[in-house]
Amino acid sequence: MDLANKVAIVTGAASGIGKSTADLFARNGAQILEIDIKFEPIRSGSLHASSTSPIRFHADLKSTYDVQNAIKLVQQKYGRLDIVVNCAGIEMPGNVIELSEESFDQVMQTNVKTVFLVCKYAIPVILESSKNGSIINISSDLGIQPIPNTDAYAASKGAIISLTKALSKNWAKQGLRVNCIAPGPIDTPLLHRFQNDDVLNFVKTTLIPAGRIGTPDEVANLALFLASDKSSFINGAVLTVNGGLLG
Ligand SMILES: NC(=O)c1ccc[n+]([C@@H]2O[C@H](COP(=O)([O-])OP(=O)(O)OC[C@H]3O[C@@H](n4cnc5c(N)ncnc54)[C@H](O)[C@@H]3O)[C@@H](O)[C@H]2O)c1
């Protein structure tokens, strides 16, 4: 049980990589606040009644108010925070000529500002309550090596990498590590909204030496390692999970 006695927040936990990560963390002993805009809002009364982990919390992480409420809930329910996985995100195909200004703002707000807000309010709680904090931000291979017509998404995922590296320098002496996972194509609803089957077949057969796309569990396994104390000297790293994707 790598995460016994640890408390984790996993964002984007209703689907795909976030869901697999939250499930794996729970199987490894963590108490978890799962956050997603897709979860049903819960009335404050029933929130007090539910003490079992995981707690599923509805929040739009673009909202400061929602993020603050989520962090308050962790403090009330568990009294500590050790791990945050920032996984919530949206896809956004298109090049700068095609993309509207609103679409660009939407992807930057959802993919980057949410990470800023969660870190802003979670980090003080981690520093206060944990000697071995770990934050894991989910970027993308497209933040390292963009493909055509992914301009806004690639920019947002590149920003997550830089934000991760900057954060990793701030509180290392207090035991807080911040790392980034950059997945390649992973079999989730987001991937199938982003790329059609013809593109995916081409990617699988010509660009990925493993000859297949990845599973959410294969990303979750790395998140578990980064969340656990077994990765205690890994900080500021950007690790790909992509079957050897050719650049
Ligand atoms: N699937 C891939 O191929 C792939 C590759 C590289 C990176 N990623 C990244 O991995 C992360 C997870 O993606 P996935 O493939 O599991 O997608 P997914 O669509 O299955 O899950 C994303 C979740 O984020 C939630 N979310 C979105 N905006 C939110 C908001 N404002 N507040 C709260 N929750 C919100 C969604 O409701 C959804 O449940 C994303 O950041 C994505 O960019 C995915």
Side-chain angles (χ1 to χ4, degrees):
M1 301 286 271
D2 286 335
L3 304 184
N5 304 319
K6 291 188 188 274
V7 174
I9 286 176
V10 179
T11 77
S15 176
I17 296 167
K19 183 174 189 320
S20 286
T21 301
D23 292 348
L24 183 64
F25 282 16
R27 291 200 297 278
N28 277 271
Q31 293 188 292
I32 303 176
L33 181 75
E34 299 183 357
I35 303 175
D36 204 292
I37 199 166
K38 281 188 194 148
F39 289 142
E40 281 297 307
I42 29 181
R43 280 170 286 118
S44 54
S46 56
L47 206 54
H48 285 296
S50 103
S51 58
T52 51
S53 172
I55 297 173
R56 301 207 162 95
F57 188 68
H58 165 93
D60 178 351
L61 294 164
K62 299 192 295 302
S63 147
T64 304
Y65 178 80
D66 282 12
V67 172
Q68 286 177 319
N69 275 344
I71 303 299
K72 270 187 215 148
L73 183 61
V74 167
Q75 288 178 292
Q76 279 165 16
K77 284 288 175 190
Y78 304 123
R80 62 180 294 130
L81 180 61
D82 303 276
I83 299 158
V84 173
V85 183
N86 282 305
C87 195
I90 55 168
E91 77 287 359
M92 186 63 70
N95 63 48
V96 290
I97 297 174
E98 297 155 353
L99 284 165
S100 67
E101 218 177 307
E102 291 74 23
S103 298
F104 182 78
D105 286 345
Q106 190 194 353
V107 75
M108 295 306 280
Q109 294 241 336
T110 307
N111 290 357
V112 186
K113 189 182 173 192
T114 58
V115 178
F116 167 80
L117 284 177
V118 172
C119 288
K120 180 175 179 60
Y121 294 105
I123 286 173
V125 182
I126 297 177
L127 294 175
E128 200 179 284
S129 60
S130 177
K131 288 190 166 49
N132 300 298
S134 175
I135 295 177
I136 298 140
N137 297 325
I138 307 298
S139 172
S140 168
D141 237 328
L142 297 178
I144 302 171
Q145 44 183 1
I147 59 173
N149 300 313
T150 58
D151 302 8
Y153 183 80
S156 73
K157 292 300 179 178
I160 290 176
I161 291 172
S162 296
L163 181 57
T164 300
K165 289 182 180 174
L167 290 171
S168 71
K169 310 294 185 288
N170 295 347
W171 301 283
K173 285 205 170 68
Q174 286 111 297
L176 175 58
R177 298 178 294 110
V178 188
N179 291 294
C180 189
I181 299 178
I186 304 296
D187 194 5
T188 70
L190 178 146
L191 180 68
H192 294 282
R193 288 192 302 266
F194 204 10
Q195 303 292 353
N196 66 39
D197 286 348
D198 290 344
V199 173
L200 283 181
N201 278 335
F202 172 78
V203 169
K204 272 193 284 196
T205 50
T206 59
L207 294 183
I208 304 182
R212 64 175 179 86
I213 58 176
T215 68
D217 283 349
E218 289 174 312
V219 181
N221 285 330
L222 177 57
L224 174 64
F225 174 65
L226 290 173
S228 79
D229 297 341
K230 287 178 181 160
S231 58
S232 51
F233 203 50
I234 300 178
N235 187 28
V238 181
L239 301 169
T240 55
V241 180
N242 63 16
L245 188 72
L246 304 175

